[in-house]
Amino acid sequence: MNPAFSICVYCGSRPGEHPEFMASARAVGQWIGEQGGQLVYGGGRTGLMGAVADATRLAGGRVVGIIPQALVDKEVANTLCDELRVVDTMHERKALMGERADAFLTLPGGIGTFEELFEMWTWRQLGYHDKPVGILNVAGYYDGLLAFLAHSVGSGLMNDWQMDLVRTGTVAPDLLKALIEEAARRPRGDRLADIV
């Protein structure tokens, strides 16, 4: 299969307390699969991660999981991935995920998800890549974060142009379509491979 696009999804390894979280993960995976796309993600089989991967696969998409050996050893790796890359470190994992993706989407998650979002956002700001980054604000999960980011801009520690580097939305298909369309318009080639 030659996927139409490749999108990296960051999300929690737990399901969360709100059914909307799992529903959104499944909707994202289904959309990726139905559009002939490829999911790049952290390679886990639990929580929102497992749900987005399963939905992508069941809808006919390709699934690439990238996971450190330490997590494989804890038996959380998703062996149903079309491609499961086992790496040595978290840094290698994140860099390879970034390399393999045309765009990035963040769903609800915990500190690992936040860290991945902010790293890709920072790398875009620094010019290591110019791939679109998005936040799917499911059931208001990111309301507080978005308010804090606006506070940071108002406090003079961030700029509006930095905020413009990230798309936000509440409707999965609309945000996914916008990210993929933006990715298709950008020039090929970036510097993500330089930081592996």
Side-chain angles (χ1 to χ4, degrees):
M1 174 189 173
N2 188 19
F5 58 86
S6 183
I7 186 163
C8 179
V9 175
Y10 302 126
C11 57
S13 60
R14 301 176 184 183
E17 295 295 327
H18 298 285
E20 296 96 332
F21 298 163
M22 286 295 278
S24 68
R26 291 187 184 107
V28 165
Q30 184 175 349
W31 189 92
I32 293 169
E34 288 176 348
Q35 305 304 313
Q38 174 174 274
L39 168 70
V40 176
Y41 85 118
R45 68 170 189 256
T46 60
L48 303 183
M49 292 175 70
V52 73
D54 288 347
T56 300
R57 183 174 49 81
L58 291 172
R62 188 167 192 277
V63 177
V64 176
I66 303 171
I67 189 168
Q69 183 65 51
L71 294 182
V72 173
D73 294 342
K74 293 181 179 179
E75 300 182 339
V76 297
N78 185 351
T79 57
L80 297 177
C81 292
D82 295 289
E83 180 184 347
L84 184 64
R85 294 285 302 271
V86 179
V87 297
D88 292 328
T89 67
M90 289 294 286
H91 181 76
E92 187 180 357
R93 176 201 215 181
K94 291 182 295 179
L96 190 54
M97 289 168 74
E99 241 184 273
R100 297 289 300 269
D102 300 318
F104 307 93
L105 177 67
T106 302
L107 300 180
I111 58 173
T113 301
F114 306 151
E115 192 263 346
E116 289 166 327
L117 163 65
F118 279 105
E119 186 162 56
M120 277 304 137
W121 188 0
T122 301
W123 287 359
R124 189 175 191 195
Q125 171 193 287
L126 295 174
Y128 285 112
H129 74 86
D130 192 26
K131 300 177 181 184
V133 178
I135 299 171
L136 187 62
N137 189 14
V138 179
Y141 183 73
Y142 285 112
D143 285 353
L145 174 63
L146 295 172
F148 176 75
L149 292 168
H151 170 70
S152 296
V153 172
S155 298
L157 296 172
M158 286 180 61
N159 296 316
D160 287 327
W161 73 267
Q162 291 169 301
M163 291 300 299
D164 290 341
L165 296 175
V166 177
R167 289 180 181 265
T168 61
T170 58
V171 179
D174 294 349
L175 181 56
L176 284 159
K177 186 171 183 283
L179 292 171
I180 297 309
E181 287 176 351
E182 182 181 342
R185 289 192 302 267
R186 74 175 180 81
R188 287 291 172 193
D190 56 58
R191 295 164 49 205
L192 272 174
D194 299 341
I195 50 181
V196 176

